[in-house]
Amino acid sequence: MAVNGLSGAETQRSGGTSPPGLFANPPIKRLEEAVDHAHMRGKLCRVVAAWLAVFAAFTGFALQAAPAAHADTGADEALFLSLTNATRAAQGLQPLATDGQLTSIARDWSAHMAAAGGISHNPNLQGQVTAAWTQLGENVGEGPTVAMIQDAFMNSVHHRENILNGAYNYVGIGVVDGGGIIFVTVDFMDLPGGAVSAPAPAAPRTTTRAPAAPKATAAPRPRAATPATAPASPPPAPPSTVPPAAAPVAAAPPASHSPAFIQVLAELRELDQ
């Protein structure tokens, strides 16, 4: 006998699932998240590509900032000779032929200047040349390119006089790479009769001096020292058939020249005085 109707109703429920009460929690079903592997691979590729682009840009900047190495000094020597003879031809002067002994002397002196880190004249030039010369001259310089050094020579009075001296008929040119900077020695000779020494061996293609740390105060600039002309040795040779060309007064550099070149040229002209 039921004492309470509510208790009877409760006892009659059997089987099935009881409905959730007021505070009951619904069952939780765990869902498996799908992984998009193609999307992940694409994202990884984009990240790698971005890093590679940054690395390539940095590497390109470093290569651009580094000084260019002059691996083929023989080609630089040939270019100096070509520019010199072209300038002489424009003035109606005979071209200069290369002399093996002069070339070897010039290369040795350029190596000396590169090791010293500065330019100077060879004080033993007259004693080192064994040919029966009547006149010797020398141009020395340093700079980043052949063209810039040659341009500085032509804008310096005494260096221009050596290049346009009609008495000279032989030359020896030595180029050495000193850590990305060209050191050049150009030895001129007046040799009557044209009996010259055998050609010098090919210039080495490797540098002879480890690159020096760049100076923070100024960038390397081309310079040239005042040329040294040796006195004629006895007995004096007959006068040359081609009179020495008078060196015209060096004109002001064109406006296209950089301020650095103009400053270097001013230093050269001061040495010429």
Side-chain angles (χ1 to χ4, degrees), residues 112-139:
H112 169 80
M113 293 191 298
I119 59 175
S120 59
H121 279 293
N122 182 1
N124 303 316
L125 177 61
Q126 300 179 30
Q128 290 175 334
V129 180
T130 59
W133 54 270
T134 60
Q135 189 178 0
L136 292 175
E138 182 179 74
N139 285 352

mmCIF file with all atom_site columns, all heavy atoms in Angstrom, residues 112-139:
data_model
loop_
_atom_site.group_PDB
_atom_site.id
_atom_site.type_symbol
_atom_site.label_atom_id
_atom_site.label_alt_id
_atom_site.label_comp_id
_atom_site.label_asym_id
_atom_site.label_entity_id
_atom_site.label_seq_id
_atom_site.pdbx_PDB_ins_code
_atom_site.Cartn_x
_atom_site.Cartn_y
_atom_site.Cartn_z
_atom_site.occupancy
_atom_site.B_iso_or_equiv
_atom_site.pdbx_formal_charge
_atom_site.auth_seq_id
_atom_site.auth_comp_id
_atom_site.auth_asym_id
_atom_site.auth_atom_id
_atom_site.pdbx_PDB_model_num
ATOM 1   N N   . HIS A 1 112 ? 107.102 44.948 -53.550 1.00 0.00 ? 112 HIS A N   1
ATOM 2   C CA  . HIS A 1 112 ? 107.668 45.641 -52.392 1.00 0.00 ? 112 HIS A CA  1
ATOM 3   C C   . HIS A 1 112 ? 106.689 46.706 -51.868 1.00 0.00 ? 112 HIS A C   1
ATOM 4   O O   . HIS A 1 112 ? 106.481 46.820 -50.652 1.00 0.00 ? 112 HIS A O   1
ATOM 5   C CB  . HIS A 1 112 ? 108.995 46.286 -52.780 1.00 0.00 ? 112 HIS A CB  1
ATOM 6   C CG  . HIS A 1 112 ? 109.529 47.242 -51.753 1.00 0.00 ? 112 HIS A CG  1
ATOM 7   N ND1 . HIS A 1 112 ? 110.200 46.832 -50.619 1.00 0.00 ? 112 HIS A ND1 1
ATOM 8   C CD2 . HIS A 1 112 ? 109.472 48.610 -51.686 1.00 0.00 ? 112 HIS A CD2 1
ATOM 9   C CE1 . HIS A 1 112 ? 110.529 47.894 -49.901 1.00 0.00 ? 112 HIS A CE1 1
ATOM 10  N NE2 . HIS A 1 112 ? 110.107 48.976 -50.517 1.00 0.00 ? 112 HIS A NE2 1
ATOM 11  N N   . MET A 1 113 ? 106.087 47.474 -52.760 1.00 0.00 ? 113 MET A N   1
ATOM 12  C CA  . MET A 1 113 ? 105.151 48.511 -52.339 1.00 0.00 ? 113 MET A CA  1
ATOM 13  C C   . MET A 1 113 ? 103.910 47.900 -51.705 1.00 0.00 ? 113 MET A C   1
ATOM 14  O O   . MET A 1 113 ? 103.381 48.420 -50.704 1.00 0.00 ? 113 MET A O   1
ATOM 15  C CB  . MET A 1 113 ? 104.770 49.395 -53.538 1.00 0.00 ? 113 MET A CB  1
ATOM 16  C CG  . MET A 1 113 ? 105.900 50.222 -54.094 1.00 0.00 ? 113 MET A CG  1
ATOM 17  S SD  . MET A 1 113 ? 105.336 51.476 -55.294 1.00 0.00 ? 113 MET A SD  1
ATOM 18  C CE  . MET A 1 113 ? 104.611 50.427 -56.579 1.00 0.00 ? 113 MET A CE  1
ATOM 19  N N   . ALA A 1 114 ? 103.415 46.783 -52.276 1.00 0.00 ? 114 ALA A N   1
ATOM 20  C CA  . ALA A 1 114 ? 102.229 46.135 -51.708 1.00 0.00 ? 114 ALA A CA  1
ATOM 21  C C   . ALA A 1 114 ? 102.510 45.621 -50.308 1.00 0.00 ? 114 ALA A C   1
ATOM 22  O O   . ALA A 1 114 ? 101.670 45.731 -49.405 1.00 0.00 ? 114 ALA A O   1
ATOM 23  C CB  . ALA A 1 114 ? 101.779 44.991 -52.616 1.00 0.00 ? 114 ALA A CB  1
ATOM 24  N N   . ALA A 1 115 ? 103.706 45.063 -50.100 1.00 0.00 ? 115 ALA A N   1
ATOM 25  C CA  . ALA A 1 115 ? 104.062 44.576 -48.769 1.00 0.00 ? 115 ALA A CA  1
ATOM 26  C C   . ALA A 1 115 ? 104.208 45.726 -47.778 1.00 0.00 ? 115 ALA A C   1
ATOM 27  O O   . ALA A 1 115 ? 103.865 45.595 -46.601 1.00 0.00 ? 115 ALA A O   1
ATOM 28  C CB  . ALA A 1 115 ? 105.357 43.772 -48.830 1.00 0.00 ? 115 ALA A CB  1
ATOM 29  N N   . ALA A 1 116 ? 104.706 46.870 -48.268 1.00 0.00 ? 116 ALA A N   1
ATOM 30  C CA  . ALA A 1 116 ? 104.876 48.033 -47.396 1.00 0.00 ? 116 ALA A CA  1
ATOM 31  C C   . ALA A 1 116 ? 103.565 48.777 -47.176 1.00 0.00 ? 116 ALA A C   1
ATOM 32  O O   . ALA A 1 116 ? 103.453 49.586 -46.246 1.00 0.00 ? 116 ALA A O   1
ATOM 33  C CB  . ALA A 1 116 ? 105.920 48.979 -47.978 1.00 0.00 ? 116 ALA A CB  1
ATOM 34  N N   . GLY A 1 117 ? 102.585 48.547 -48.039 1.00 0.00 ? 117 GLY A N   1
ATOM 35  C CA  . GLY A 1 117 ? 101.303 49.225 -47.905 1.00 0.00 ? 117 GLY A CA  1
ATOM 36  C C   . GLY A 1 117 ? 101.311 50.661 -48.377 1.00 0.00 ? 117 GLY A C   1
ATOM 37  O O   . GLY A 1 117 ? 100.444 51.447 -48.003 1.00 0.00 ? 117 GLY A O   1
ATOM 38  N N   . GLY A 1 118 ? 102.268 51.042 -49.215 1.00 0.00 ? 118 GLY A N   1
ATOM 39  C CA  . GLY A 1 118 ? 102.341 52.406 -49.736 1.00 0.00 ? 118 GLY A CA  1
ATOM 40  C C   . GLY A 1 118 ? 103.278 52.469 -50.927 1.00 0.00 ? 118 GLY A C   1
ATOM 41  O O   . GLY A 1 118 ? 104.041 51.535 -51.192 1.00 0.00 ? 118 GLY A O   1
ATOM 42  N N   . ILE A 1 119 ? 103.230 53.581 -51.669 1.00 0.00 ? 119 ILE A N   1
ATOM 43  C CA  . ILE A 1 119 ? 104.027 53.708 -52.884 1.00 0.00 ? 119 ILE A CA  1
ATOM 44  C C   . ILE A 1 119 ? 105.289 54.509 -52.616 1.00 0.00 ? 119 ILE A C   1
ATOM 45  O O   . ILE A 1 119 ? 105.335 55.370 -51.747 1.00 0.00 ? 119 ILE A O   1
ATOM 46  C CB  . ILE A 1 119 ? 103.208 54.367 -54.012 1.00 0.00 ? 119 ILE A CB  1
ATOM 47  C CG1 . ILE A 1 119 ? 102.713 55.759 -53.597 1.00 0.00 ? 119 ILE A CG1 1
ATOM 48  C CG2 . ILE A 1 119 ? 102.049 53.477 -54.416 1.00 0.00 ? 119 ILE A CG2 1
ATOM 49  C CD1 . ILE A 1 119 ? 102.012 56.513 -54.691 1.00 0.00 ? 119 ILE A CD1 1
ATOM 50  N N   . SER A 1 120 ? 106.293 54.196 -53.397 1.00 0.00 ? 120 SER A N   1
ATOM 51  C CA  . SER A 1 120 ? 107.574 54.891 -53.331 1.00 0.00 ? 120 SER A CA  1
ATOM 52  C C   . SER A 1 120 ? 108.339 54.547 -54.596 1.00 0.00 ? 120 SER A C   1
ATOM 53  O O   . SER A 1 120 ? 107.946 53.661 -55.359 1.00 0.00 ? 120 SER A O   1
ATOM 54  C CB  . SER A 1 120 ? 108.372 54.466 -52.097 1.00 0.00 ? 120 SER A CB  1
ATOM 55  O OG  . SER A 1 120 ? 108.612 53.068 -52.112 1.00 0.00 ? 120 SER A OG  1
ATOM 56  N N   . HIS A 1 121 ? 109.437 55.262 -54.842 1.00 0.00 ? 121 HIS A N   1
ATOM 57  C CA  . HIS A 1 121 ? 110.245 54.999 -56.024 1.00 0.00 ? 121 HIS A CA  1
ATOM 58  C C   . HIS A 1 121 ? 111.353 54.003 -55.731 1.00 0.00 ? 121 HIS A C   1
ATOM 59  O O   . HIS A 1 121 ? 111.815 53.885 -54.582 1.00 0.00 ? 121 HIS A O   1
ATOM 60  C CB  . HIS A 1 121 ? 110.830 56.299 -56.570 1.00 0.00 ? 121 HIS A CB  1
ATOM 61  C CG  . HIS A 1 121 ? 109.867 57.070 -57.411 1.00 0.00 ? 121 HIS A CG  1
ATOM 62  N ND1 . HIS A 1 121 ? 109.407 56.623 -58.627 1.00 0.00 ? 121 HIS A ND1 1
ATOM 63  C CD2 . HIS A 1 121 ? 109.251 58.261 -57.196 1.00 0.00 ? 121 HIS A CD2 1
ATOM 64  C CE1 . HIS A 1 121 ? 108.572 57.505 -59.131 1.00 0.00 ? 121 HIS A CE1 1
ATOM 65  N NE2 . HIS A 1 121 ? 108.442 58.505 -58.271 1.00 0.00 ? 121 HIS A NE2 1
ATOM 66  N N   . ASN A 1 122 ? 111.740 53.291 -56.775 1.00 0.00 ? 122 ASN A N   1
ATOM 67  C CA  . ASN A 1 122 ? 112.814 52.308 -56.682 1.00 0.00 ? 122 ASN A CA  1
ATOM 68  C C   . ASN A 1 122 ? 114.157 53.029 -56.726 1.00 0.00 ? 122 ASN A C   1
ATOM 69  O O   . ASN A 1 122 ? 114.564 53.529 -57.781 1.00 0.00 ? 122 ASN A O   1
ATOM 70  C CB  . ASN A 1 122 ? 112.700 51.313 -57.836 1.00 0.00 ? 122 ASN A CB  1
ATOM 71  C CG  . ASN A 1 122 ? 113.759 50.233 -57.784 1.00 0.00 ? 122 ASN A CG  1
ATOM 72  O OD1 . ASN A 1 122 ? 114.592 50.203 -56.877 1.00 0.00 ? 122 ASN A OD1 1
ATOM 73  N ND2 . ASN A 1 122 ? 113.740 49.351 -58.769 1.00 0.00 ? 122 ASN A ND2 1
ATOM 74  N N   . PRO A 1 123 ? 114.895 53.101 -55.612 1.00 0.00 ? 123 PRO A N   1
ATOM 75  C CA  . PRO A 1 123 ? 116.153 53.842 -55.616 1.00 0.00 ? 123 PRO A CA  1
ATOM 76  C C   . PRO A 1 123 ? 117.265 53.131 -56.373 1.00 0.00 ? 123 PRO A C   1
ATOM 77  O O   . PRO A 1 123 ? 118.292 53.748 -56.683 1.00 0.00 ? 123 PRO A O   1
ATOM 78  C CB  . PRO A 1 123 ? 116.486 53.962 -54.128 1.00 0.00 ? 123 PRO A CB  1
ATOM 79  C CG  . PRO A 1 123 ? 115.845 52.764 -53.507 1.00 0.00 ? 123 PRO A CG  1
ATOM 80  C CD  . PRO A 1 123 ? 114.595 52.518 -54.288 1.00 0.00 ? 123 PRO A CD  1
ATOM 81  N N   . ASN A 1 124 ? 117.093 51.839 -56.683 1.00 0.00 ? 124 ASN A N   1
ATOM 82  C CA  . ASN A 1 124 ? 118.136 51.058 -57.343 1.00 0.00 ? 124 ASN A CA  1
ATOM 83  C C   . ASN A 1 124 ? 117.842 50.805 -58.819 1.00 0.00 ? 124 ASN A C   1
ATOM 84  O O   . ASN A 1 124 ? 118.479 49.944 -59.428 1.00 0.00 ? 124 ASN A O   1
ATOM 85  C CB  . ASN A 1 124 ? 118.307 49.710 -56.622 1.00 0.00 ? 124 ASN A CB  1
ATOM 86  C CG  . ASN A 1 124 ? 118.640 49.878 -55.156 1.00 0.00 ? 124 ASN A CG  1
ATOM 87  O OD1 . ASN A 1 124 ? 119.469 50.712 -54.799 1.00 0.00 ? 124 ASN A OD1 1
ATOM 88  N ND2 . ASN A 1 124 ? 117.987 49.093 -54.302 1.00 0.00 ? 124 ASN A ND2 1
ATOM 89  N N   . LEU A 1 125 ? 116.888 51.538 -59.377 1.00 0.00 ? 125 LEU A N   1
ATOM 90  C CA  . LEU A 1 125 ? 116.481 51.271 -60.755 1.00 0.00 ? 125 LEU A CA  1
ATOM 91  C C   . LEU A 1 125 ? 117.654 51.389 -61.730 1.00 0.00 ? 125 LEU A C   1
ATOM 92  O O   . LEU A 1 125 ? 117.846 50.529 -62.598 1.00 0.00 ? 125 LEU A O   1
ATOM 93  C CB  . LEU A 1 125 ? 115.355 52.231 -61.158 1.00 0.00 ? 125 LEU A CB  1
ATOM 94  C CG  . LEU A 1 125 ? 114.864 52.122 -62.608 1.00 0.00 ? 125 LEU A CG  1
ATOM 95  C CD1 . LEU A 1 125 ? 114.294 50.730 -62.875 1.00 0.00 ? 125 LEU A CD1 1
ATOM 96  C CD2 . LEU A 1 125 ? 113.814 53.190 -62.895 1.00 0.00 ? 125 LEU A CD2 1
ATOM 97  N N   . GLN A 1 126 ? 118.453 52.438 -61.614 1.00 0.00 ? 126 GLN A N   1
ATOM 98  C CA  . GLN A 1 126 ? 119.543 52.658 -62.564 1.00 0.00 ? 126 GLN A CA  1
ATOM 99  C C   . GLN A 1 126 ? 120.558 51.519 -62.534 1.00 0.00 ? 126 GLN A C   1
ATOM 100 O O   . GLN A 1 126 ? 121.066 51.103 -63.583 1.00 0.00 ? 126 GLN A O   1
ATOM 101 C CB  . GLN A 1 126 ? 120.246 53.978 -62.263 1.00 0.00 ? 126 GLN A CB  1
ATOM 102 C CG  . GLN A 1 126 ? 119.329 55.196 -62.345 1.00 0.00 ? 126 GLN A CG  1
ATOM 103 C CD  . GLN A 1 126 ? 120.067 56.489 -62.023 1.00 0.00 ? 126 GLN A CD  1
ATOM 104 O OE1 . GLN A 1 126 ? 121.263 56.609 -62.274 1.00 0.00 ? 126 GLN A OE1 1
ATOM 105 N NE2 . GLN A 1 126 ? 119.362 57.454 -61.457 1.00 0.00 ? 126 GLN A NE2 1
ATOM 106 N N   . GLY A 1 127 ? 120.843 50.994 -61.342 1.00 0.00 ? 127 GLY A N   1
ATOM 107 C CA  . GLY A 1 127 ? 121.808 49.909 -61.253 1.00 0.00 ? 127 GLY A CA  1
ATOM 108 C C   . GLY A 1 127 ? 121.246 48.564 -61.656 1.00 0.00 ? 127 GLY A C   1
ATOM 109 O O   . GLY A 1 127 ? 122.004 47.657 -62.026 1.00 0.00 ? 127 GLY A O   1
ATOM 110 N N   . GLN A 1 128 ? 119.922 48.393 -61.613 1.00 0.00 ? 128 GLN A N   1
ATOM 111 C CA  . GLN A 1 128 ? 119.316 47.108 -61.945 1.00 0.00 ? 128 GLN A CA  1
ATOM 112 C C   . GLN A 1 128 ? 119.170 46.910 -63.448 1.00 0.00 ? 128 GLN A C   1
ATOM 113 O O   . GLN A 1 128 ? 119.124 45.768 -63.915 1.00 0.00 ? 128 GLN A O   1
ATOM 114 C CB  . GLN A 1 128 ? 117.944 46.991 -61.263 1.00 0.00 ? 128 GLN A CB  1
ATOM 115 C CG  . GLN A 1 128 ? 118.019 46.852 -59.753 1.00 0.00 ? 128 GLN A CG  1
ATOM 116 C CD  . GLN A 1 128 ? 116.647 46.861 -59.102 1.00 0.00 ? 128 GLN A CD  1
ATOM 117 O OE1 . GLN A 1 128 ? 115.692 47.421 -59.636 1.00 0.00 ? 128 GLN A OE1 1
ATOM 118 N NE2 . GLN A 1 128 ? 116.537 46.260 -57.922 1.00 0.00 ? 128 GLN A NE2 1
ATOM 119 N N   . VAL A 1 129 ? 119.075 47.983 -64.211 1.00 0.00 ? 129 VAL A N   1
ATOM 120 C CA  . VAL A 1 129 ? 118.920 47.877 -65.662 1.00 0.00 ? 129 VAL A CA  1
ATOM 121 C C   . VAL A 1 129 ? 120.312 47.728 -66.275 1.00 0.00 ? 129 VAL A C   1
ATOM 122 O O   . VAL A 1 129 ? 121.148 48.635 -66.176 1.00 0.00 ? 129 VAL A O   1
ATOM 123 C CB  . VAL A 1 129 ? 118.195 49.106 -66.240 1.00 0.00 ? 129 VAL A CB  1
ATOM 124 C CG1 . VAL A 1 129 ? 118.043 48.958 -67.750 1.00 0.00 ? 129 VAL A CG1 1
ATOM 125 C CG2 . VAL A 1 129 ? 116.830 49.271 -65.573 1.00 0.00 ? 129 VAL A CG2 1
ATOM 126 N N   . THR A 1 130 ? 120.565 46.605 -66.920 1.00 0.00 ? 130 THR A N   1
ATOM 127 C CA  . THR A 1 130 ? 121.887 46.330 -67.477 1.00 0.00 ? 130 THR A CA  1
ATOM 128 C C   . THR A 1 130 ? 122.019 46.740 -68.938 1.00 0.00 ? 130 THR A C   1
ATOM 129 O O   . THR A 1 130 ? 123.130 46.722 -69.476 1.00 0.00 ? 130 THR A O   1
ATOM 130 C CB  . THR A 1 130 ? 122.195 44.834 -67.346 1.00 0.00 ? 130 THR A CB  1
ATOM 131 O OG1 . THR A 1 130 ? 121.199 44.078 -68.050 1.00 0.00 ? 130 THR A OG1 1
ATOM 132 C CG2 . THR A 1 130 ? 122.198 44.411 -65.879 1.00 0.00 ? 130 THR A CG2 1
ATOM 133 N N   . ALA A 1 131 ? 120.931 47.088 -69.593 1.00 0.00 ? 131 ALA A N   1
ATOM 134 C CA  . ALA A 1 131 ? 121.000 47.506 -70.991 1.00 0.00 ? 131 ALA A CA  1
ATOM 135 C C   . ALA A 1 131 ? 121.683 48.866 -71.096 1.00 0.00 ? 131 ALA A C   1
ATOM 136 O O   . ALA A 1 131 ? 121.776 49.619 -70.118 1.00 0.00 ? 131 ALA A O   1
ATOM 137 C CB  . ALA A 1 131 ? 119.595 47.570 -71.592 1.00 0.00 ? 131 ALA A CB  1
ATOM 138 N N   . ALA A 1 132 ? 122.181 49.175 -72.292 1.00 0.00 ? 132 ALA A N   1
ATOM 139 C CA  . ALA A 1 132 ? 122.895 50.444 -72.533 1.00 0.00 ? 132 ALA A CA  1
ATOM 140 C C   . ALA A 1 132 ? 121.900 51.574 -72.747 1.00 0.00 ? 132 ALA A C   1
ATOM 141 O O   . ALA A 1 132 ? 121.843 52.201 -73.814 1.00 0.00 ? 132 ALA A O   1
ATOM 142 C CB  . ALA A 1 132 ? 123.826 50.297 -73.721 1.00 0.00 ? 132 ALA A CB  1
ATOM 143 N N   . TRP A 1 133 ? 121.130 51.870 -71.710 1.00 0.00 ? 133 TRP A N   1
ATOM 144 C CA  . TRP A 1 133 ? 120.091 52.886 -71.805 1.00 0.00 ? 133 TRP A CA  1
ATOM 145 C C   . TRP A 1 133 ? 120.704 54.280 -71.786 1.00 0.00 ? 133 TRP A C   1
ATOM 146 O O   . TRP A 1 133 ? 121.822 54.488 -71.301 1.00 0.00 ? 133 TRP A O   1
ATOM 147 C CB  . TRP A 1 133 ? 119.110 52.739 -70.648 1.00 0.00 ? 133 TRP A CB  1
ATOM 148 C CG  . TRP A 1 133 ? 119.755 52.738 -69.286 1.00 0.00 ? 133 TRP A CG  1
ATOM 149 C CD1 . TRP A 1 133 ? 120.213 51.655 -68.608 1.00 0.00 ? 133 TRP A CD1 1
ATOM 150 C CD2 . TRP A 1 133 ? 120.016 53.878 -68.462 1.00 0.00 ? 133 TRP A CD2 1
ATOM 151 N NE1 . TRP A 1 133 ? 120.748 52.035 -67.400 1.00 0.00 ? 133 TRP A NE1 1
ATOM 152 C CE2 . TRP A 1 133 ? 120.646 53.395 -67.285 1.00 0.00 ? 133 TRP A CE2 1
ATOM 153 C CE3 . TRP A 1 133 ? 119.794 55.244 -68.589 1.00 0.00 ? 133 TRP A CE3 1
ATOM 154 C CZ2 . TRP A 1 133 ? 121.046 54.232 -66.253 1.00 0.00 ? 133 TRP A CZ2 1
ATOM 155 C CZ3 . TRP A 1 133 ? 120.185 56.084 -67.559 1.00 0.00 ? 133 TRP A CZ3 1
ATOM 156 C CH2 . TRP A 1 133 ? 120.804 55.592 -66.410 1.00 0.00 ? 133 TRP A CH2 1
ATOM 157 N N   . THR A 1 134 ? 119.929 55.231 -72.303 1.00 0.00 ? 134 THR A N   1
ATOM 158 C CA  . THR A 1 134 ? 120.329 56.635 -72.236 1.00 0.00 ? 134 THR A CA  1
ATOM 159 C C   . THR A 1 134 ? 119.407 57.460 -71.356 1.00 0.00 ? 134 THR A C   1
ATOM 160 O O   . THR A 1 134 ? 119.768 58.558 -70.945 1.00 0.00 ? 134 THR A O   1
ATOM 161 C CB  . THR A 1 134 ? 120.354 57.264 -73.647 1.00 0.00 ? 134 THR A CB  1
ATOM 162 O OG1 . THR A 1 134 ? 119.054 57.177 -74.222 1.00 0.00 ? 134 THR A OG1 1
ATOM 163 C CG2 . THR A 1 134 ? 121.361 56.550 -74.541 1.00 0.00 ? 134 THR A CG2 1
ATOM 164 N N   . GLN A 1 135 ? 118.235 56.948 -71.055 1.00 0.00 ? 135 GLN A N   1
ATOM 165 C CA  . GLN A 1 135 ? 117.290 57.662 -70.205 1.00 0.00 ? 135 GLN A CA  1
ATOM 166 C C   . GLN A 1 135 ? 116.322 56.667 -69.585 1.00 0.00 ? 135 GLN A C   1
ATOM 167 O O   . GLN A 1 135 ? 115.854 55.735 -70.247 1.00 0.00 ? 135 GLN A O   1
ATOM 168 C CB  . GLN A 1 135 ? 116.527 58.730 -71.007 1.00 0.00 ? 135 GLN A CB  1
ATOM 169 C CG  . GLN A 1 135 ? 115.679 59.656 -70.153 1.00 0.00 ? 135 GLN A CG  1
ATOM 170 C CD  . GLN A 1 135 ? 114.983 60.739 -70.981 1.00 0.00 ? 135 GLN A CD  1
ATOM 171 O OE1 . GLN A 1 135 ? 115.153 60.784 -72.200 1.00 0.00 ? 135 GLN A OE1 1
ATOM 172 N NE2 . GLN A 1 135 ? 114.233 61.597 -70.338 1.00 0.00 ? 135 GLN A NE2 1
ATOM 173 N N   . LEU A 1 136 ? 116.028 56.864 -68.311 1.00 0.00 ? 136 LEU A N   1
ATOM 174 C CA  . LEU A 1 136 ? 115.061 56.040 -67.594 1.00 0.00 ? 136 LEU A CA  1
ATOM 175 C C   . LEU A 1 136 ? 114.042 56.940 -66.907 1.00 0.00 ? 136 LEU A C   1
ATOM 176 O O   . LEU A 1 136 ? 114.364 58.070 -66.529 1.00 0.00 ? 136 LEU A O   1
ATOM 177 C CB  . LEU A 1 136 ? 115.740 55.164 -66.534 1.00 0.00 ? 136 LEU A CB  1
ATOM 178 C CG  . LEU A 1 136 ? 116.663 54.042 -67.001 1.00 0.00 ? 136 LEU A CG  1
ATOM 179 C CD1 . LEU A 1 136 ? 117.321 53.383 -65.798 1.00 0.00 ? 136 LEU A CD1 1
ATOM 180 C CD2 . LEU A 1 136 ? 115.896 53.014 -67.818 1.00 0.00 ? 136 LEU A CD2 1
ATOM 181 N N   . GLY A 1 137 ? 112.853 56.426 -66.729 1.00 0.00 ? 137 GLY A N   1
ATOM 182 C CA  . GLY A 1 137 ? 111.809 57.134 -65.991 1.00 0.00 ? 137 GLY A CA  1
ATOM 183 C C   . GLY A 1 137 ? 110.915 56.131 -65.296 1.00 0.00 ? 137 GLY A C   1
ATOM 184 O O   . GLY A 1 137 ? 110.869 54.955 -65.673 1.00 0.00 ? 137 GLY A O   1
ATOM 185 N N   . GLU A 1 138 ? 110.189 56.592 -64.312 1.00 0.00 ? 138 GLU A N   1
ATOM 186 C CA  . GLU A 1 138 ? 109.353 55.675 -63.536 1.00 0.00 ? 138 GLU A CA  1
ATOM 187 C C   . GLU A 1 138 ? 108.087 56.371 -63.052 1.00 0.00 ? 138 GLU A C   1
ATOM 188 O O   . GLU A 1 138 ? 108.139 57.489 -62.539 1.00 0.00 ? 138 GLU A O   1
ATOM 189 C CB  . GLU A 1 138 ? 110.125 55.137 -62.327 1.00 0.00 ? 138 GLU A CB  1
ATOM 190 C CG  . GLU A 1 138 ? 109.350 54.126 -61.491 1.00 0.00 ? 138 GLU A CG  1
ATOM 191 C CD  . GLU A 1 138 ? 110.171 53.603 -60.325 1.00 0.00 ? 138 GLU A CD  1
ATOM 192 O OE1 . GLU A 1 138 ? 110.356 54.367 -59.346 1.00 0.00 ? 138 GLU A OE1 1
ATOM 193 O OE2 . GLU A 1 138 ? 110.646 52.457 -60.414 1.00 0.00 ? 138 GLU A OE2 1
ATOM 194 N N   . ASN A 1 139 ? 106.965 55.690 -63.222 1.00 0.00 ? 139 ASN A N   1
ATOM 195 C CA  . ASN A 1 139 ? 105.690 56.085 -62.624 1.00 0.00 ? 139 ASN A CA  1
ATOM 196 C C   . ASN A 1 139 ? 105.254 54.977 -61.677 1.00 0.00 ? 139 ASN A C   1
ATOM 197 O O   . ASN A 1 139 ? 105.314 53.788 -62.035 1.00 0.00 ? 139 ASN A O   1
ATOM 198 C CB  . ASN A 1 139 ? 104.602 56.285 -63.685 1.00 0.00 ? 139 ASN A CB  1
ATOM 199 C CG  . ASN A 1 139 ? 104.759 57.571 -64.463 1.00 0.00 ? 139 ASN A CG  1
ATOM 200 O OD1 . ASN A 1 139 ? 105.598 58.409 -64.140 1.00 0.00 ? 139 ASN A OD1 1
ATOM 201 N ND2 . ASN A 1 139 ? 103.965 57.731 -65.512 1.00 0.00 ? 139 ASN A ND2 1
#
